[in-house]
């Protein structure tokens, strides 16, 4: 039985931190896992910047509430959920993802969480576990699923390697160059065609 | 982070095999995992009965298409998905569950599959793995989740034992008597109140 595990940002919704950078005008927040492979280093910098700018959880949530899924993402997800089981696997935080997940019809999301002070300052983040994306794929394989993972960033590559099928969706040039072993796909239509091939082999 | 794993039949939708028994008038199909603890024995009998009555996959799917979620199940699931991650964990078959899952807004479902002849005769079934429900809970705990499992039948009890919190929802008397260690809940409102307690301890 197949299960599809897409990343969230870049695959179904815009990069959350880039939206925050644009709406707040803080250029330093433009960095993502596409640019900085070390996730912990990246997150510590982001939280420092938010603290310095006195941006609290409510401010960030307001920005995320104004975001929309990527063009075509809803129709793609509907098609997908009619045919496959689905778990969205992301390194984002449940406190960030909530408003935009509602717009995607609430797919199951495996992600991380924030540590927030009573005054709303984001003081830290909690990974569910180290290399969490890869662990999810491994666990699902252990449950008898064949896993199709879809990602676009450094933090997706271990999950793509672990999956039965790993696909890069609209990756930036550096990822494409560094990980030539993965199929590269540019549109939802191509992604559907790719997924349809597995359906023929049985669900 | 919490994840809720409810069983499907009896918790969110009526017992599929009972509906099939009622619509076809075949009384022998009234047996469920509530009555026969050995799932394999139960399934082999069911498939034999279908074959004898010349009922094929399309006939069963037509019956399932006419079923509706239990009263209040949709509102309960909406409430749940606004607050928790969700995976429905069932021993049913993906070929059966599809039409009714659509009515539930397509939650992720971990279940089994059927082996179907080209003429539509259901010849066998495939468990994703032995004691699959318990394995799901174990895997999710391994991924850093706290698991709240909700069931009503013999085949739920190992998953309820393995979970961080195991609850029986509207179980029959024999299950209630044999498994006094689990909380017993009778309505969605009580279930929501029970789940809300965990939210207070953080997501």
């Amino acid at each position: 039985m197949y299960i599809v595990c897409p990343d969230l940002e870049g695959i179904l919704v815009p990069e959350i931190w880039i939206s925050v950078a644009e709406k707040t005008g803080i250029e330093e927040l433009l960095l993502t896992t596409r640019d900085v492979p070390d996730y912990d280093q990246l997150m510590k910098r982001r939280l420092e910047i938010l603290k310095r700018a006195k941006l609290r959880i409510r401010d960030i949530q307001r920005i995320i509430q104004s975001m929309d899924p990527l063009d075509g993402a809803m129709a793609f997800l509907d098609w997908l959920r009619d045919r496959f089981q689905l778990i969205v696997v992301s390194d984002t935080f449940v406190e960030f993802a909530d408003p935009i997940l509602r717009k995607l019809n609430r797919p199951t999301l495996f992600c991380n969480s924030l540590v927030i002070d009573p005054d709303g300052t984001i003081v830290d983040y909690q990974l569910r576990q180290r290399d969490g994306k890869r662990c999810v794929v491994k666990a699902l394989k252990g449950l008898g699923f064949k896993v199709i993972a879809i990602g676009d960033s450094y933090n997706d590559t271990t999950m793509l390697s672990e999956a039965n099928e790993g696909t890069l969706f609209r990756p930036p040039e550096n990822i494409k160059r560094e990980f030539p072993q993965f199929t590269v796909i540019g549109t939802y239509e191509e992604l559907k065609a790719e997924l349809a091939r597995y359906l023929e082999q049985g669900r």
Side-chain angles (χ1 to χ4, degrees), chain A residues 9 15-21 29 43 46-47 50 93 96:
Chain A
E9 296 167 68
E15 292 287 338
I16 291 177
W17 287 100
I18 289 183
S19 298
V20 174
L29 288 176
M43 272 307 300
R46 286 168 168 171
L47 295 187
L50 292 186
F93 309 99
F96 283 4

Side-chain angles (χ1 to χ4, degrees), chain A residues 6-9 16 39 87-93 97 108-112 127-128 132-133 136 155-156 159:
Chain A
D7 177 30
L8 180 64
E9 296 167 68
I16 291 177
Y39 183 75
I87 293 177
V88 179
V89 180
S90 168
D91 274 337
T92 191
F93 309 99
T108 298
L109 170 73
F110 285 7
C111 68
N112 300 308
L127 292 189
R128 233 184 38 254
K133 292 193 180 206
V136 169
N155 66 335
D156 296 315
M159 131 170 129

